[in-house]
Amino acid sequence: MRPSALDPLFAPATSLDGIGDKIAGLIARLVPTDLTNRPLRVGDLPFILPHSVIDRSRRVAIAEASNGGIVTLTLTVGAHFPPPRGKRNLPYRVMAFDESGEIALTFFHARQVWLEKVLSEGARVLVSGKIEWFNGRASMVHPDHIVAEAEAYQLPVIEPVYPLTAGLSAKVLRKAIAQAMTRLPQLPEWQDAAVQQRLGLPSFDQALKTLHDPGRIEDLSPEGAPWRRLAYDELLAGQLSLALVRQRTRRLTGRPLAGHGRHVAALLKALPYRLTPSQETAVAEIHADMAEGDRMLRLLQGDVGSGKTVVALMAMARAVEAGGQAALMAPTEILARQHHATISRLCEQVGLKVALLTGRDKGRERKALLERLNSGEVDIIIGTHALFQEGVDFADLALAVIDEQHRFGVHQRLAITSKGNAPDILVMTATPIPRTLVLSAFGDMDVSRLTEKPAGRQPIKTVTMPLERLGELVGRLREAVAEGQKVYWICPLVEESENVDVTSAEDRHEALSQVFGTQVALIHGRMSGSEKDSAMASFKSGQARILVGTTVVEVGVDVPDATIIVIEHAERFGLAQLHQLRGRVGRGDKASSCVLLYKGPLGEVAARRLAVMRETEDGFVIAEEDLKLRGEGDLLGTRQSGSPGFQVARLEFHADLLATARDDARLALTRDPELRSDRGEALRLLLYLYGRDDAVRLLRAG
């Protein structure tokens, strides 16, 4: 049960005055958490933090005010000029003056009675807003604040500015947040006193109050104490929930998986190349983990093409040697089929039985496969999330390997855990993740890193080219295709859009088909599985030489003889995504190139992104640059549980707090595994407050 102290914050936002369903829907767009499965709550509003401030302390005379600046003027009200009868579309003007000159205060659709009351002729008032000059005359349209001079104390000197969305006014949002703030209950302190003192953090409610009612501009800085307090709370909640998952997954006692070594040796012999030093290290770390009595929970990080699948295969072979089964789960069907093609070829040579299970398998075939899996006849099964649905039963699942970890959150980790006798878990990602993010999303895991490219891989030459030179590029591709080369051409959209001025995959496919005829294939996410398979097969076989597609080819599509990739409107893609896409080429032994086609003029960030792509192929360098350029935002491609879509924390400012939060969370659970002490009960409140209810359920599940 959720602690009753939090009830006021979990009430629907529509219980606040002036907030109906429509306004709640608009405010929900501003909330940084995922609200797809629940309505907006009162407790969401205080976490909508201001992005800047208006300083209304600047008091000047009319003549000194600069065009477009926000100023506060002390005025004497002069004459009123309402619009003529029947001309409601014309503005209502009130002339006012000070010793330096005159200004027109302009109002559209104004109520005359109200204006005559707040701006009565001859009154002395303070007016604050944006001033504009036309032909030497000053004007202020709809001043933000009007107060009598005697009530100057009512004017906010430092006023927070909130993010807005179409249809929602700043006034309505401010009023809603102010109401929500009055509902904040008195909550016990969940921070460790020594940590709080060392970091110089205020209390939770003091931090929120300062951010929504700042006394100084510095109060709103993400690097200031109030914001750091809330960021640390959020990071601690995240690390605590990861530590609880780790505690729960480890508590289901693992078993030592030590094999006879013959399968692993035979696979190594069957490989057409030697493992790289970092692959050898990763295999050794994984095998050592598997031999322990505790369960393995390890993240294998490796850049595109660094050979993660082979490392995973060595781990799966070890699980089979120890008498168990292994499963490999991929995020898409294309990738699952590709893993199956690669792995089954090698496994056939050493007598390991491999099967493929996807959502497409139906009827008798599916039933027969599930029976073979349940009887233990299948050693290694490869598939999509269909592997962990009801009705899929293993004889003895000893190891689960998950590819592209950022697409699988905490729930999925637990679903897998329930499938076997506490299987070891190895997760792989080709998204190069900066160290700080590894800590935030995977604080419950040990990490292995693959740092080299496999032997024989060629560097990829990356060039940038403006769209104006498209004709020249197509001419060069003609020569490349005539020589037998294969080309990926990536577009940001599937079909033409009225809102975005970019060429879609369908349009580009049509345009290139006029030049290259049937040598151009098309692939995108809206096609059926069989249509995608057919497009891929035609590209792999060489019947098609150019594959036009969207980012559906980003993850794991493997055509070793593709040597050129063109990314159209490269300025619209993030760095991590550009890097993933570029990794589709350079997989064979021929020199490869990546052409980044852009539409100028480029903004500062887009120009830097393209420059980084030209300068380096190192995914980890690229990831660190990406973090600098756009914050942690959506770095991992999705904002699900298990990836850092933070409400308050911004890793470009708060990364230094992560390690402290992880140590703090682990220590708290070592001292109080069930969170029953006074601090433990307070930490439960923190978990609910930051939407980590799953972690509290783990405590209850024991």
Side-chain angles (χ1 to χ4, degrees), residues 1-7 681 684-685 688 696-697 700:
M1 288 291 288
R2 184 177 65 239
S4 55
L6 294 175
D7 288 351
E681 292 290 350
R684 286 172 177 246
L685 293 173
Y688 275 113
V696 188
R697 282 200 282 279
R700 289 208 298 274

Side-chain angles (χ1 to χ4, degrees), residues 137-175:
R137 304 179 72 137
S139 154
M140 192 182 284
V141 179
H142 287 282
D144 300 327
H145 297 276
I146 304 169
V147 297
E149 189 178 25
E151 292 166 1
Y153 62 87
Q154 289 187 3
L155 185 77
V157 180
I158 301 290
E159 187 176 334
V161 180
Y162 293 93
L164 288 175
T165 186
L168 181 68
S169 76
K171 194 174 174 184
V172 167
L173 179 62
R174 264 204 298 272
K175 187 180 165 197

Side-chain angles (χ1 to χ4, degrees), residues 150-355:
E151 292 166 1
Y153 62 87
Q154 289 187 3
L155 185 77
V157 180
I158 301 290
E159 187 176 334
V161 180
Y162 293 93
L164 288 175
T165 186
L168 181 68
S169 76
K171 194 174 174 184
V172 167
L173 179 62
R174 264 204 298 272
K175 187 180 165 197
I177 291 172
Q179 278 190 77
M181 289 293 292
T182 63
R183 304 251 186 121
L184 272 181
Q186 270 305 120
L187 296 171
E189 182 55 78
W190 45 73
Q191 290 300 354
D192 176 76
V195 173
Q196 190 176 358
Q197 190 177 358
R198 189 175 89 239
L199 297 175
L201 303 177
S203 67
F204 171 72
D205 60 340
Q206 187 53 55
L208 273 176
K209 282 171 184 156
T210 306
L211 287 167
H212 290 295
D213 186 12
R216 306 167 309 151
I217 292 175
E218 301 76 62
D219 286 343
L220 265 187
S221 163
E223 294 169 272
W227 200 308
R228 277 175 74 80
R229 161 69 206 227
L230 297 184
Y232 188 69
D233 283 345
E234 181 168 26
L235 296 174
L236 180 60
Q239 291 302 310
L240 200 55
S241 66
L242 284 171
L244 282 163
V245 170
R246 184 186 178 90
Q247 179 180 290
R248 166 116 170 112
T249 29
R250 287 269 158 103
R251 190 186 295 159
L252 297 159
T253 322
R255 54 178 164 161
L257 296 172
H260 47 63
R262 289 193 294 276
H263 290 331
V264 171
L267 281 170
L268 285 170
K269 204 170 170 187
L271 287 175
Y273 49 80
R274 278 197 59 175
L275 296 187
T276 63
S278 61
Q279 281 178 315
E280 287 177 347
T281 305
V283 169
E285 286 171 344
I286 290 164
H287 283 173
D289 269 8
M290 292 172 77
E292 294 282 323
D294 281 344
R295 292 182 72 197
M296 173 168 76
L297 205 55
R298 187 169 279 277
L299 174 70
L300 176 62
Q301 258 194 300
D303 215 339
V304 173
S306 59
K308 293 179 300 299
T309 311
V310 169
V311 173
L313 179 55
M314 297 304 156
M316 293 193 286
R318 174 54 50 91
V320 177
E321 287 177 359
Q325 291 167 300
L328 168 61
M329 171 160 80
T332 65
E333 201 173 302
I334 285 185
L335 197 47
R337 289 181 181 281
Q338 194 169 288
H339 278 319
H340 179 254
T342 314
I343 287 172
S344 55
R345 267 201 310 272
L346 283 164
C347 287
E348 269 168 24
Q349 297 178 47
V350 302
L352 289 172
K353 295 190 179 64
V354 183

Side-chain angles (χ1 to χ4, degrees), residues 382-405:
I382 296 167
T384 53
H385 56 276
L387 289 179
F388 298 106
Q389 289 168 345
E390 297 251 336
V392 179
D393 296 312
F394 294 80
D396 179 11
L397 178 62
L399 171 69
V401 180
I402 302 166
D403 195 9
E404 284 308 315
Q405 154 64 20

Side-chain angles (χ1 to χ4, degrees), residues 334-661:
I334 285 185
L335 197 47
R337 289 181 181 281
Q338 194 169 288
H339 278 319
H340 179 254
T342 314
I343 287 172
S344 55
R345 267 201 310 272
L346 283 164
C347 287
E348 269 168 24
Q349 297 178 47
V350 302
L352 289 172
K353 295 190 179 64
V354 183
L356 174 72
L357 176 69
T358 68
R360 230 195 278 183
D361 297 306
K362 299 278 186 294
R364 266 190 225 155
E365 280 178 21
R366 181 184 170 86
K367 190 171 177 235
L369 173 56
L370 292 180
E371 280 168 5
R372 284 169 53 220
L373 185 65
N374 195 2
S375 70
E377 194 187 321
V378 172
D379 295 318
I380 296 173
I381 184 131
I382 296 167
T384 53
H385 56 276
L387 289 179
F388 298 106
Q389 289 168 345
E390 297 251 336
V392 179
D393 296 312
F394 294 80
D396 179 11
L397 178 62
L399 171 69
V401 180
I402 302 166
D403 195 9
E404 284 308 315
Q405 154 64 20
H406 63 268
R407 298 171 186 231
F408 299 99
V410 167
H411 314 290
Q412 289 89 337
R413 291 185 208 181
L414 294 169
I416 292 159
T417 296
S418 68
K419 276 291 174 190
N421 176 15
D424 282 0
I425 295 181
L426 174 68
V427 289
M428 314 195 284
T429 178
T431 307
I433 311 169
R435 288 178 194 283
T436 47
L437 286 189
V438 168
L439 205 57
S440 74
F442 314 111
D444 56 333
M445 297 188 183
D446 301 305
V447 180
S448 294
R449 265 186 160 187
L450 301 183
T451 48
E452 313 97 340
K453 283 198 168 184
R457 291 277 167 98
Q458 298 294 317
I460 302 167
K461 185 185 177 193
T462 302
V463 295
T464 50
M465 193 181 267
L467 268 167
E468 289 79 16
R469 290 172 59 192
L470 184 66
E472 186 186 326
L473 174 64
V474 171
R476 286 197 204 164
L477 290 184
R478 261 191 162 138
E479 293 166 21
V481 167
E483 289 167 12
Q485 295 192 54
K486 287 185 186 172
V487 183
Y488 289 106
W489 190 302
I490 307 300
C491 299
L493 301 176
V494 174
E495 56 189 40
E496 197 182 353
S497 154
E498 287 174 23
N499 311 328
V500 192
D501 178 23
V502 299
T503 308
S504 71
E506 288 176 345
D507 289 346
R508 180 57 64 215
H509 174 254
E510 197 175 311
L512 289 173
S513 297
Q514 287 169 15
V515 179
F516 296 95
T518 56
Q519 288 184 299
V520 189
L522 175 68
I523 189 167
H524 57 70
R526 292 197 199 153
M527 293 161 79
S528 69
S530 55
E531 285 172 328
K532 284 185 208 163
D533 285 352
S534 143
M536 277 310 302
S538 123
F539 186 52
K540 274 191 162 173
S541 70
Q543 188 183 339
R545 289 275 155 195
I546 299 177
L547 181 65
V548 178
T550 54
T551 52
V552 77
V553 305
E554 174 189 339
V555 176
V557 172
D558 192 14
V559 181
D561 57 346
T563 51
I564 300 171
I565 184 162
V566 177
I567 303 172
E568 190 167 347
H569 287 286
E571 77 280 0
R572 302 184 73 87
F573 293 94
L575 252 180
Q577 200 171 30
L578 287 171
H579 178 64
Q580 281 267 5
L581 287 165
R582 175 169 64 183
R584 297 300 107 219
V585 296
R587 301 175 83 88
D589 50 10
K590 292 196 179 76
S592 294
S593 5
C594 168
V595 181
L596 302 173
L597 262 185
Y598 65 88
K599 183 178 183 182
L602 289 176
E604 195 182 330
V605 172
R608 179 71 196 127
R609 269 194 211 130
L610 299 190
V612 170
M613 288 294 291
R614 279 201 312 269
E615 289 158 15
T616 180
E617 273 190 71
D618 185 324
F620 294 107
V621 172
I622 285 171
E624 297 290 351
E625 278 294 326
D626 208 12
L627 186 60
K628 278 183 214 154
L629 285 176
R630 61 176 174 147
E632 102 294 332
D634 200 14
L635 198 65
L636 297 188
T638 55
R639 293 181 81 102
Q640 304 176 358
S641 55
S643 78
F646 292 118
Q647 281 177 274
V648 177
R650 293 192 193 167
L651 290 184
E652 62 270 42
F653 298 115
H654 306 129
D656 63 305
L657 300 174
L658 255 168
T660 309

